[in-house]
Amino acid sequence: MFRIFVEKKEEFATEATSLARDLNETLNLSLEKVRVINVYDLFDINEEELKIAKENVLSEIVTDHVFDSLDLAHQTYFAVEFLPGQYDQRADSAEQCLRLLSENERTTIKSGKIILLEGVNEEQLVSIKAYYINPIEMREKNLLEVAKNEENVPKDVVIYEDFNQLDTLGLENFLNEQGMAMTLEDITFIQAYFKNEEKRNPSQTELKVLDTYWSDHCRHTTFETIIKKVTFEKGRFQESLEAAFHTYLEMRADAHENKKPMTLMDMATINARQLRKHGLLDDVEVSEEINACSVYIDVDVDGVKEPWLLQFKNETHNHPTEIEPFGGASTCIGGAIRDPLSGRAYVYQAMRISGSGNILEKIEDTRVGKLPQKTISKGATHGNSSYGNQIGLATSFVREIFHEGYKAKHLETGAVVAAAPLKNVVRQSPLPGDLVILLGGKTGRDGVGGATGSSKAHKEDSITTASSEVQKGNAPTERKIQHLFRDEKVTRLIKKCNDFGAGGVAVAIGELADGLAINLDKVPVKYHGLNGTELAISESQERMAVVVDRNDADQFITYAAEENLEAVVVAYVTNNHRLIMSWRGKEIVNLSRNFLNTNGAKQEIELIVPSISQDNPFASQVTGTTFKEKFLNNLKQDNVASLQGMIENFDASIGAGTVLMPFGGKYQLTEQEGSVHKIPVRHGNTNTTSLLTYGYNPFISSFSPFHGAAYAVVESIAKITALGGNWQGIRFSFQEYFKRLEKDAKRWGEPFSALLGAIQMQKEFGLAAIGGKDSMSGSFEELHVPPTLISFAVQTQEASKIKSAELKHAGNYIYLIKHTPKADFMPNVE
């Protein structure tokens, strides 16, 4: 073993300079100097290979100092390292580079950092460490210890021998002890299944798989809850709300003759169902794969129209970003990319919308059990931008929304657009005997519980107990999959594909076919010591599960190897309608597909739509006596002030297809209304672009979720037209984010009334949302996020017709097209 220390030369020490400034400003210190030194422990390496590592991998001769030893006597410092199991990109990249240069496959590397501080006392050192070290992702490193990651031999999967005998109180205690996200009704339903159908007790893995499979994150159980009764409280807008509800009921009767139960999910999809029934949504692709919104478009390639698929998807990783900002936000954009990528489309365009509390709040005012808002905001910005920049995704529109409600839980949303020639994409149903190939990254403990964690309300101890729920994204590996899936000879071998989102093997492979036999011993791992349950449910950003014909498997694996991607057959399709997982030669999961597809006990709710405050949500809050004072005070508001410093973390030019950069004009200071990119044709030139915008105002939504959602839809439409697009033919995808609803009838009224507002606007414009994502855990004790329904709008247009926002010439006129709301404050669509 060898230990190497690498430090940037003073003129290149930007990380140390930035950290010193941050610590001085945030903690009110007077640090004289900060030094940041990277520490590398190298195992199974000889002297010659060490020389290569020092000179060609771990340092750059122009910018770095390299030391074999470091005298830390009489110095104030602390050292940090990632928690065991967390992905360490620095170490992984170093190992890969070293293998290319030395052909040594044995060497492993662990990395850490030493932070040296000048001008601090012991008390200040304690506060610095508390601020710098997030226990979710890192810990203090003991420089006297040098050891590889410990790998324990896992025990066999536990069978809960007395599970079927537990009474209601016993089941309730069992849920709490196991930290499960499911409800008491769910686990009672499971107990009845094992008693009556399987006639045996469940394994630990089976219960964890069911908890994951039926989680709100994976199965939208909140949105699938049956609404038995709706009551509208008396108030000024009761008539408007009831009229919108009546519109929805008429649409239900027309779209599916009321044969489906009334749920939030039915409300979210009713416009699309009705338009499709009447032949007004023929551009939407309908298939077994529903990983992303997908529409048919014509793309101009050198003057010739080609049929393509345009796909788009929005994703939130609010819970992981709240507790580990960098990793949570990086996996948010990675998660958004995964869905259209699994649809064999190339992702080329991104938008990031985030929500935060006051980032200028003093560090000492931070709530116990919370990270400072500044830490979350900055860390999430770096995480999201780092992943997008590395994978090669242009993020050309970025906006952070400030609202005190997001102190309850940060909002981290990514929206992406992707495209692929129609001829490259095959959709087929898997047949018995087909093989399932796991492609991409390896499995580790990071990501265990990601789905169930995201389905829980945030608690005070989450910051120290939820480390396994948050991954570190591995963008270079996902980029390899992107490159592989642009090759039509590869994608045409794929019958069906699913990304490894929350839920891991259990969900990613488990959803591919009704009958599956999965061998968990075949799953590639980051390190030994994972047990069967961890292998079954650990999520991963950089993996895909693909179904191929048995005769095509070897060819597909060969193509993957050419991209330096590991691909392994881990399962095959059966005709027995059961999900079976084996580990160490034993079955640890054997569940009926019919039971899995129930998605748990049917939940029901009788909800109340609360009355709305009489305040005018559009009244100006700007103070000042003169126009100049008001103008300047308006610019100082956090939701008006420039976000240029944050936005410039994101590379908007990757791929050379960006039509509108984030800022335009002579001084590059005019923000654009949305994101516009050319379709990424591989050969020739195109004039076809895709437009992506968003609409949402937390203050209108806090006044009334009904009005907030309506204006979100209108705002996203207005921005498309401002960019030069046509409002006719716009397709939406909605992002819902609300407080934890539990069984509170009035809380349920918030998303219900928001969806009514969205339905009303879609109906009046004759447009529809064809996808979306819900996140229903925005609570921390008594704090709750504002009612959030973000409308993402997508359209195509010729590049020559796109309009940028900046003023073009002196003497141009500026027009105000004024909208006067109706008497009930709703948009006047006519």
Side-chain angles (χ1 to χ4, degrees), residues 441-444 520-530 535 543 566:
K442 297 182 177 181
T443 298
L520 295 174
D521 292 310
K522 298 290 187 181
V523 175
V525 294
K526 295 177 181 176
Y527 36 79
H528 297 293
L530 297 177
L535 290 168
R543 293 184 292 172
E566 193 165 5

Side-chain angles (χ1 to χ4, degrees), residues 193-194 206 209-210 577-579 589-593 596:
Y193 165 75
F194 277 97
E206 286 174 318
V209 165
L210 288 168
H577 284 73
R578 294 186 74 85
L579 175 62
V589 172
N590 192 330
L591 297 169
S592 159
R593 176 61 57 180
L596 271 173

Side-chain angles (χ1 to χ4, degrees), residues 552-571:
D552 293 331
D554 289 342
Q555 184 65 68
F556 185 90
I557 291 170
T558 299
Y559 289 143
E562 291 173 2
E563 293 291 342
N564 197 25
L565 281 166
E566 193 165 5
V568 181
V569 175
V570 297

Side-chain angles (χ1 to χ4, degrees), residues 2 24 26 113 164 219 253 285 429 435 563 804 816 830:
F2 296 91
N24 281 334
T26 305
K113 285 186 179 181
N164 287 345
R219 281 294 174 272
E285 183 196 18
S429 298
L435 300 181
E563 293 291 342
S804 54
L816 172 64
E830 290 303 318

Side-chain angles (χ1 to χ4, degrees), residues 296-310:
Y296 300 104
I297 63 170
D298 288 327
V299 175
D300 160 52
V301 182
D302 290 335
V304 178
K305 297 291 186 183
E306 290 186 2
W308 279 57
L309 284 175
L310 187 75

Side-chain angles (χ1 to χ4, degrees), residues 134-136 319 322-323 366-371 407-409 456-467 777 779-783:
N134 180 358
I136 284 291
H319 173 75
E322 175 72 22
I323 59 178
T366 302
R367 182 80 171 258
V368 174
K370 288 278 187 185
L371 296 172
K407 275 189 178 179
K409 191 181 279 189
K456 302 174 188 174
H458 183 47
K459 297 185 294 185
E460 189 175 303
D461 63 352
S462 296
I463 200 72
T464 56
T465 60
S467 62
S777 61
S779 298
F780 177 83
E781 297 176 348
E782 83 286 359
L783 302 179

Side-chain angles (χ1 to χ4, degrees), residues 5 77 188 243 333 402 426 473 517 541 557 610 613 629 670 727 789:
F5 303 92
Y77 73 94
T188 303
I333 189 63
F402 297 99
V426 173
Q541 291 300 113
I557 291 170
S613 144
E629 285 180 1
T670 302
W727 68 266
L789 188 148

